[in-house]
Amino acid sequence: MEKSADKSSTSVRKKKWVARPLVTQCGVCHSPATDVHHYGSVSCYSCRAFFRRTVGSGKEYRFCSKRTGQCQIDSNNRKNCKKCRFEKCLKIGMMQEKVNRRHPPTKKIKKIELKPLKKSLDIGDLVDECFVDEKDHCDDVKLDKENTNQNEEYPETDPENFKNLSPTFNLTFEEDFKIHELMVRKEKLFEEFYNIFLEFPNFVSLWKRFLFQIQTCCPVIQSGVPADSYDCNMKNMVRDNFVKGGLVRHALEMFDEFKYVPEHVKTETIEFSLTVLQICIRSYLSANKDQPTLIDQHFAAGTYNKAFQTAYDKVYPNNRFAVQSFDPLQLDIFTTPWAVNYDEEMFFKKTVTVLGSIVKDDVKLGTLFMILVLATPGAALSVEAQGDPSLKKVQSDISLLIYRYLKNKLADPDEASRVTNSLLRLITDLHMSRSIHLFRRISLP
């Protein structure tokens, strides 16, 4: 009797929850979906959560990631462009007014009963939905803090206190998601650099000569290119593009970190730090000069992007093995003597080498450090820029995220603190290297 009772109770328990079969396709991203209408139309769990999150928080997506307004949305790239994804939700009939009918979540803590997974359950979408809901909660808490403390002054992060400031738990999903998001936006920024370069009249011919010199192991000559027609001119194009609200400006505005920075402070800081960013790029490339090809070198350094590939294909189409890697410090513009004194040359080289040895091919760490560089004004900039509380908060948040990432990677809080301190000290050295590179050169005859 007891055995039969146990069997009957087990059968009843199994019938409590049955996953709906995924018998149709999502109207937004074409992922498997149930035949239930979510907010007025058929969608997968992930797109349902995205739509609810967007409408519920009142978010407005102003920019298309490709600036076309016609991004293809599928299960692989649905997170790339929020603007086009939301517009497609509306296009298939999902209604914003239905989101408002959702009952507010109860504060009562309920015991969670684990259910057995069914084969028909799309666990990827379900995890995605759970994750974004948790992220929404964290974003709401963060927004409340920002609204409350927007005018507070944020003290500079003391590098020695990272272990006290950092939570004891490991890197969270939200923090890891944030790092990946920054990587995508950094790649977009680099892509816009190359798009601007491709517009320069003589770029393709000069680029072809540059690649040919690397391929044939000839000395890479950059000083022979007139500064007013190439190097300075293209740097000015990038700077003007940012000031005039062009592609570079749109790419930088994708970084939420600069949302609360005053416009004039943002412009002054970014104009300065873009030239420091170029030294970081040289450092990362130099640290990965042992890669077999130039494309592999850019991948390892985290500087690869679609526009770079387009420029490369203009010279060597469909042949990624044509050009080997190179050392950017071996350009003729860095051949001794190039600075006004030898000590400054050695300081520049040491700074680039040390940064490269720390970052190497760690694209996540390299990305975080680049964001920190973009958010750090130089000592020669205005007092307002150096003391801006919003910039200080960005610096503090990114510095802490660097430490949290390193602690998770190295599994050693002391070593993570040491490496983080080294990176923070390199910011000042990079600013000095920028000054040497731009203003302390020997004048060419």
PDB file of all heavy atoms in Angstrom, residues 69-95:
ATOM      1  N   GLY A  69      19.226  51.770 -39.667  1.00  0.00           N
ATOM      2  CA  GLY A  69      17.841  51.580 -39.269  1.00  0.00           C
ATOM      3  C   GLY A  69      17.218  50.331 -39.865  1.00  0.00           C
ATOM      4  O   GLY A  69      16.008  50.152 -39.810  1.00  0.00           O
ATOM      5  N   GLN A  70      18.053  49.456 -40.429  1.00  0.00           N
ATOM      6  CA  GLN A  70      17.546  48.258 -41.102  1.00  0.00           C
ATOM      7  C   GLN A  70      18.368  47.021 -40.721  1.00  0.00           C
ATOM      8  O   GLN A  70      18.650  46.167 -41.554  1.00  0.00           O
ATOM      9  CB  GLN A  70      17.573  48.456 -42.624  1.00  0.00           C
ATOM     10  CG  GLN A  70      16.708  49.605 -43.102  1.00  0.00           C
ATOM     11  CD  GLN A  70      16.811  49.805 -44.599  1.00  0.00           C
ATOM     12  OE1 GLN A  70      17.689  49.252 -45.256  1.00  0.00           O
ATOM     13  NE2 GLN A  70      15.914  50.598 -45.152  1.00  0.00           N
ATOM     14  N   CYS A  71      18.748  46.913 -39.458  1.00  0.00           N
ATOM     15  CA  CYS A  71      19.547  45.774 -39.014  1.00  0.00           C
ATOM     16  C   CYS A  71      18.736  44.480 -39.108  1.00  0.00           C
ATOM     17  O   CYS A  71      17.544  44.461 -38.802  1.00  0.00           O
ATOM     18  CB  CYS A  71      20.010  45.978 -37.571  1.00  0.00           C
ATOM     19  SG  CYS A  71      21.125  47.377 -37.359  1.00  0.00           S
ATOM     20  N   GLN A  72      19.405  43.410 -39.525  1.00  0.00           N
ATOM     21  CA  GLN A  72      18.775  42.095 -39.543  1.00  0.00           C
ATOM     22  C   GLN A  72      18.784  41.542 -38.117  1.00  0.00           C
ATOM     23  O   GLN A  72      19.837  41.454 -37.488  1.00  0.00           O
ATOM     24  CB  GLN A  72      19.538  41.147 -40.482  1.00  0.00           C
ATOM     25  CG  GLN A  72      19.467  41.549 -41.948  1.00  0.00           C
ATOM     26  CD  GLN A  72      18.068  41.393 -42.520  1.00  0.00           C
ATOM     27  OE1 GLN A  72      17.308  40.522 -42.099  1.00  0.00           O
ATOM     28  NE2 GLN A  72      17.724  42.237 -43.479  1.00  0.00           N
ATOM     29  N   ILE A  73      17.627  41.168 -37.610  1.00  0.00           N
ATOM     30  CA  ILE A  73      17.519  40.656 -36.251  1.00  0.00           C
ATOM     31  C   ILE A  73      17.311  39.154 -36.302  1.00  0.00           C
ATOM     32  O   ILE A  73      16.318  38.681 -36.868  1.00  0.00           O
ATOM     33  CB  ILE A  73      16.351  41.324 -35.486  1.00  0.00           C
ATOM     34  CG1 ILE A  73      16.469  42.859 -35.556  1.00  0.00           C
ATOM     35  CG2 ILE A  73      16.313  40.850 -34.042  1.00  0.00           C
ATOM     36  CD1 ILE A  73      17.707  43.411 -34.911  1.00  0.00           C
ATOM     37  N   ASP A  74      18.244  38.397 -35.746  1.00  0.00           N
ATOM     38  CA  ASP A  74      18.074  36.946 -35.631  1.00  0.00           C
ATOM     39  C   ASP A  74      18.603  36.487 -34.285  1.00  0.00           C
ATOM     40  O   ASP A  74      19.019  37.305 -33.449  1.00  0.00           O
ATOM     41  CB  ASP A  74      18.771  36.216 -36.791  1.00  0.00           C
ATOM     42  CG  ASP A  74      20.252  36.539 -36.886  1.00  0.00           C
ATOM     43  OD1 ASP A  74      20.900  36.673 -35.824  1.00  0.00           O
ATOM     44  OD2 ASP A  74      20.775  36.652 -38.003  1.00  0.00           O
ATOM     45  N   SER A  75      18.589  35.201 -34.058  1.00  0.00           N
ATOM     46  CA  SER A  75      18.952  34.684 -32.738  1.00  0.00           C
ATOM     47  C   SER A  75      20.415  34.931 -32.387  1.00  0.00           C
ATOM     48  O   SER A  75      20.775  34.955 -31.214  1.00  0.00           O
ATOM     49  CB  SER A  75      18.658  33.179 -32.667  1.00  0.00           C
ATOM     50  OG  SER A  75      19.378  32.487 -33.683  1.00  0.00           O
ATOM     51  N   ASN A  76      21.253  35.138 -33.385  1.00  0.00           N
ATOM     52  CA  ASN A  76      22.674  35.340 -33.121  1.00  0.00           C
ATOM     53  C   ASN A  76      23.029  36.786 -32.842  1.00  0.00           C
ATOM     54  O   ASN A  76      23.918  37.070 -32.041  1.00  0.00           O
ATOM     55  CB  ASN A  76      23.510  34.833 -34.314  1.00  0.00           C
ATOM     56  CG  ASN A  76      23.412  33.327 -34.477  1.00  0.00           C
ATOM     57  OD1 ASN A  76      23.358  32.594 -33.498  1.00  0.00           O
ATOM     58  ND2 ASN A  76      23.353  32.871 -35.723  1.00  0.00           N
ATOM     59  N   ASN A  77      22.353  37.722 -33.527  1.00  0.00           N
ATOM     60  CA  ASN A  77      22.749  39.129 -33.391  1.00  0.00           C
ATOM     61  C   ASN A  77      21.659  40.011 -32.804  1.00  0.00           C
ATOM     62  O   ASN A  77      21.716  41.234 -32.936  1.00  0.00           O
ATOM     63  CB  ASN A  77      23.176  39.682 -34.758  1.00  0.00           C
ATOM     64  CG  ASN A  77      22.033  39.681 -35.764  1.00  0.00           C
ATOM     65  OD1 ASN A  77      20.865  39.530 -35.415  1.00  0.00           O
ATOM     66  ND2 ASN A  77      22.368  39.841 -37.037  1.00  0.00           N
ATOM     67  N   ARG A  78      20.656  39.417 -32.163  1.00  0.00           N
ATOM     68  CA  ARG A  78      19.530  40.222 -31.684  1.00  0.00           C
ATOM     69  C   ARG A  78      19.935  41.238 -30.622  1.00  0.00           C
ATOM     70  O   ARG A  78      19.213  42.221 -30.403  1.00  0.00           O
ATOM     71  CB  ARG A  78      18.439  39.299 -31.129  1.00  0.00           C
ATOM     72  CG  ARG A  78      18.852  38.479 -29.931  1.00  0.00           C
ATOM     73  CD  ARG A  78      17.831  37.408 -29.606  1.00  0.00           C
ATOM     74  NE  ARG A  78      18.281  36.524 -28.537  1.00  0.00           N
ATOM     75  CZ  ARG A  78      17.761  35.343 -28.276  1.00  0.00           C
ATOM     76  NH1 ARG A  78      16.776  34.883 -29.024  1.00  0.00           N
ATOM     77  NH2 ARG A  78      18.216  34.609 -27.280  1.00  0.00           N
ATOM     78  N   LYS A  79      21.072  41.030 -29.963  1.00  0.00           N
ATOM     79  CA  LYS A  79      21.511  41.970 -28.930  1.00  0.00           C
ATOM     80  C   LYS A  79      22.396  43.078 -29.473  1.00  0.00           C
ATOM     81  O   LYS A  79      22.781  43.977 -28.733  1.00  0.00           O
ATOM     82  CB  LYS A  79      22.261  41.211 -27.828  1.00  0.00           C
ATOM     83  CG  LYS A  79      21.390  40.226 -27.067  1.00  0.00           C
ATOM     84  CD  LYS A  79      22.176  39.525 -25.973  1.00  0.00           C
ATOM     85  CE  LYS A  79      21.307  38.519 -25.240  1.00  0.00           C
ATOM     86  NZ  LYS A  79      22.058  37.802 -24.177  1.00  0.00           N
ATOM     87  N   ASN A  80      22.707  43.038 -30.768  1.00  0.00           N
ATOM     88  CA  ASN A  80      23.628  44.023 -31.330  1.00  0.00           C
ATOM     89  C   ASN A  80      23.007  45.397 -31.485  1.00  0.00           C
ATOM     90  O   ASN A  80      23.677  46.409 -31.310  1.00  0.00           O
ATOM     91  CB  ASN A  80      24.141  43.554 -32.702  1.00  0.00           C
ATOM     92  CG  ASN A  80      25.054  42.351 -32.575  1.00  0.00           C
ATOM     93  OD1 ASN A  80      25.383  41.936 -31.472  1.00  0.00           O
ATOM     94  ND2 ASN A  80      25.450  41.786 -33.695  1.00  0.00           N
ATOM     95  N   CYS A  81      21.722  45.462 -31.841  1.00  0.00           N
ATOM     96  CA  CYS A  81      21.068  46.757 -32.072  1.00  0.00           C
ATOM     97  C   CYS A  81      19.715  46.766 -31.362  1.00  0.00           C
ATOM     98  O   CYS A  81      18.746  46.158 -31.832  1.00  0.00           O
ATOM     99  CB  CYS A  81      20.898  47.031 -33.566  1.00  0.00           C
ATOM    100  SG  CYS A  81      20.159  48.667 -33.899  1.00  0.00           S
ATOM    101  N   LYS A  82      19.640  47.465 -30.250  1.00  0.00           N
ATOM    102  CA  LYS A  82      18.412  47.510 -29.474  1.00  0.00           C
ATOM    103  C   LYS A  82      17.326  48.314 -30.183  1.00  0.00           C
ATOM    104  O   LYS A  82      16.141  48.008 -30.070  1.00  0.00           O
ATOM    105  CB  LYS A  82      18.702  48.117 -28.095  1.00  0.00           C
ATOM    106  CG  LYS A  82      19.624  47.267 -27.250  1.00  0.00           C
ATOM    107  CD  LYS A  82      19.890  47.906 -25.891  1.00  0.00           C
ATOM    108  CE  LYS A  82      20.800  47.034 -25.046  1.00  0.00           C
ATOM    109  NZ  LYS A  82      21.083  47.646 -23.726  1.00  0.00           N
ATOM    110  N   LYS A  83      17.738  49.348 -30.911  1.00  0.00           N
ATOM    111  CA  LYS A  83      16.765  50.201 -31.595  1.00  0.00           C
ATOM    112  C   LYS A  83      15.979  49.403 -32.634  1.00  0.00           C
ATOM    113  O   LYS A  83      14.742  49.408 -32.648  1.00  0.00           O
ATOM    114  CB  LYS A  83      17.463  51.386 -32.264  1.00  0.00           C
ATOM    115  CG  LYS A  83      16.520  52.368 -32.959  1.00  0.00           C
ATOM    116  CD  LYS A  83      17.305  53.539 -33.526  1.00  0.00           C
ATOM    117  CE  LYS A  83      16.369  54.596 -34.096  1.00  0.00           C
ATOM    118  NZ  LYS A  83      15.575  54.102 -35.230  1.00  0.00           N
ATOM    119  N   CYS A  84      16.682  48.691 -33.495  1.00  0.00           N
ATOM    120  CA  CYS A  84      16.017  47.922 -34.548  1.00  0.00           C
ATOM    121  C   CYS A  84      15.242  46.739 -33.960  1.00  0.00           C
ATOM    122  O   CYS A  84      14.186  46.361 -34.472  1.00  0.00           O
ATOM    123  CB  CYS A  84      17.042  47.430 -35.575  1.00  0.00           C
ATOM    124  SG  CYS A  84      17.752  48.752 -36.591  1.00  0.00           S
ATOM    125  N   ARG A  85      15.747  46.174 -32.879  1.00  0.00           N
ATOM    126  CA  ARG A  85      15.042  45.056 -32.248  1.00  0.00           C
ATOM    127  C   ARG A  85      13.703  45.514 -31.669  1.00  0.00           C
ATOM    128  O   ARG A  85      12.685  44.849 -31.836  1.00  0.00           O
ATOM    129  CB  ARG A  85      15.909  44.450 -31.152  1.00  0.00           C
ATOM    130  CG  ARG A  85      15.321  43.167 -30.546  1.00  0.00           C
ATOM    131  CD  ARG A  85      16.195  42.641 -29.423  1.00  0.00           C
ATOM    132  NE  ARG A  85      15.735  41.355 -28.921  1.00  0.00           N
ATOM    133  CZ  ARG A  85      16.259  40.717 -27.881  1.00  0.00           C
ATOM    134  NH1 ARG A  85      17.295  41.254 -27.239  1.00  0.00           N
ATOM    135  NH2 ARG A  85      15.779  39.545 -27.490  1.00  0.00           N
ATOM    136  N   PHE A  86      13.705  46.674 -31.015  1.00  0.00           N
ATOM    137  CA  PHE A  86      12.460  47.180 -30.434  1.00  0.00           C
ATOM    138  C   PHE A  86      11.466  47.566 -31.529  1.00  0.00           C
ATOM    139  O   PHE A  86      10.263  47.311 -31.418  1.00  0.00           O
ATOM    140  CB  PHE A  86      12.756  48.390 -29.546  1.00  0.00           C
ATOM    141  CG  PHE A  86      11.546  48.942 -28.858  1.00  0.00           C
ATOM    142  CD1 PHE A  86      10.871  48.203 -27.902  1.00  0.00           C
ATOM    143  CD2 PHE A  86      11.061  50.206 -29.173  1.00  0.00           C
ATOM    144  CE1 PHE A  86       9.747  48.703 -27.268  1.00  0.00           C
ATOM    145  CE2 PHE A  86       9.939  50.707 -28.546  1.00  0.00           C
ATOM    146  CZ  PHE A  86       9.273  49.956 -27.590  1.00  0.00           C
ATOM    147  N   GLU A  87      11.972  48.181 -32.604  1.00  0.00           N
ATOM    148  CA  GLU A  87      11.084  48.554 -33.705  1.00  0.00           C
ATOM    149  C   GLU A  87      10.463  47.317 -34.351  1.00  0.00           C
ATOM    150  O   GLU A  87       9.304  47.348 -34.777  1.00  0.00           O
ATOM    151  CB  GLU A  87      11.861  49.368 -34.746  1.00  0.00           C
ATOM    152  CG  GLU A  87      12.200  50.773 -34.265  1.00  0.00           C
ATOM    153  CD  GLU A  87      12.990  51.555 -35.292  1.00  0.00           C
ATOM    154  OE1 GLU A  87      13.398  50.948 -36.319  1.00  0.00           O
ATOM    155  OE2 GLU A  87      13.194  52.765 -35.089  1.00  0.00           O
ATOM    156  N   LYS A  88      11.215  46.222 -34.397  1.00  0.00           N
ATOM    157  CA  LYS A  88      10.655  44.995 -34.969  1.00  0.00           C
ATOM    158  C   LYS A  88       9.608  44.400 -34.047  1.00  0.00           C
ATOM    159  O   LYS A  88       8.617  43.812 -34.505  1.00  0.00           O
ATOM    160  CB  LYS A  88      11.760  43.981 -35.253  1.00  0.00           C
ATOM    161  CG  LYS A  88      11.270  42.817 -36.114  1.00  0.00           C
ATOM    162  CD  LYS A  88      12.399  42.032 -36.721  1.00  0.00           C
ATOM    163  CE  LYS A  88      11.862  40.931 -37.639  1.00  0.00           C
ATOM    164  NZ  LYS A  88      12.949  40.075 -38.163  1.00  0.00           N
ATOM    165  N   CYS A  89       9.811  44.548 -32.722  1.00  0.00           N
ATOM    166  CA  CYS A  89       8.786  44.108 -31.772  1.00  0.00           C
ATOM    167  C   CYS A  89       7.468  44.819 -32.057  1.00  0.00           C
ATOM    168  O   CYS A  89       6.395  44.207 -32.087  1.00  0.00           O
ATOM    169  CB  CYS A  89       9.229  44.386 -30.334  1.00  0.00           C
ATOM    170  SG  CYS A  89      10.558  43.327 -29.737  1.00  0.00           S
ATOM    171  N   LEU A  90       7.542  46.127 -32.268  1.00  0.00           N
ATOM    172  CA  LEU A  90       6.332  46.899 -32.563  1.00  0.00           C
ATOM    173  C   LEU A  90       5.749  46.503 -33.912  1.00  0.00           C
ATOM    174  O   LEU A  90       4.521  46.442 -34.083  1.00  0.00           O
ATOM    175  CB  LEU A  90       6.664  48.394 -32.545  1.00  0.00           C
ATOM    176  CG  LEU A  90       7.150  48.974 -31.207  1.00  0.00           C
ATOM    177  CD1 LEU A  90       7.548  50.437 -31.391  1.00  0.00           C
ATOM    178  CD2 LEU A  90       6.059  48.852 -30.144  1.00  0.00           C
ATOM    179  N   LYS A  91       6.630  46.216 -34.867  1.00  0.00           N
ATOM    180  CA  LYS A  91       6.180  45.891 -36.217  1.00  0.00           C
ATOM    181  C   LYS A  91       5.368  44.610 -36.265  1.00  0.00           C
ATOM    182  O   LYS A  91       4.404  44.496 -37.040  1.00  0.00           O
ATOM    183  CB  LYS A  91       7.394  45.784 -37.145  1.00  0.00           C
ATOM    184  CG  LYS A  91       7.038  45.588 -38.613  1.00  0.00           C
ATOM    185  CD  LYS A  91       8.300  45.576 -39.465  1.00  0.00           C
ATOM    186  CE  LYS A  91       7.958  45.373 -40.937  1.00  0.00           C
ATOM    187  NZ  LYS A  91       9.170  45.353 -41.783  1.00  0.00           N
ATOM    188  N   ILE A  92       5.730  43.644 -35.431  1.00  0.00           N
ATOM    189  CA  ILE A  92       4.999  42.357 -35.463  1.00  0.00           C
ATOM    190  C   ILE A  92       3.733  42.394 -34.610  1.00  0.00           C
ATOM    191  O   ILE A  92       3.020  41.387 -34.515  1.00  0.00           O
ATOM    192  CB  ILE A  92       5.894  41.194 -35.003  1.00  0.00           C
ATOM    193  CG1 ILE A  92       6.230  41.311 -33.513  1.00  0.00           C
ATOM    194  CG2 ILE A  92       7.140  41.095 -35.857  1.00  0.00           C
ATOM    195  CD1 ILE A  92       6.860  40.074 -32.931  1.00  0.00           C
ATOM    196  N   GLY A  93       3.475  43.543 -33.976  1.00  0.00           N
ATOM    197  CA  GLY A  93       2.214  43.687 -33.253  1.00  0.00           C
ATOM    198  C   GLY A  93       2.288  43.650 -31.746  1.00  0.00           C
ATOM    199  O   GLY A  93       1.249  43.612 -31.074  1.00  0.00           O
ATOM    200  N   MET A  94       3.476  43.682 -31.158  1.00  0.00           N
ATOM    201  CA  MET A  94       3.589  43.729 -29.704  1.00  0.00           C
ATOM    202  C   MET A  94       3.180  45.126 -29.229  1.00  0.00           C
ATOM    203  O   MET A  94       3.636  46.127 -29.788  1.00  0.00           O
ATOM    204  CB  MET A  94       5.012  43.385 -29.258  1.00  0.00           C
ATOM    205  CG  MET A  94       5.425  41.977 -29.636  1.00  0.00           C
ATOM    206  SD  MET A  94       7.132  41.538 -29.171  1.00  0.00           S
ATOM    207  CE  MET A  94       6.936  41.287 -27.414  1.00  0.00           C
ATOM    208  N   MET A  95       2.304  45.200 -28.235  1.00  0.00           N
ATOM    209  CA  MET A  95       1.687  46.465 -27.825  1.00  0.00           C
ATOM    210  C   MET A  95       2.215  46.927 -26.475  1.00  0.00           C
ATOM    211  O   MET A  95       2.221  46.170 -25.492  1.00  0.00           O
ATOM    212  CB  MET A  95       0.174  46.300 -27.772  1.00  0.00           C
ATOM    213  CG  MET A  95      -0.451  46.068 -29.154  1.00  0.00           C
ATOM    214  SD  MET A  95      -2.226  45.760 -29.085  1.00  0.00           S
ATOM    215  CE  MET A  95      -2.208  44.031 -28.645  1.00  0.00           C
TER     216      MET A  95
END
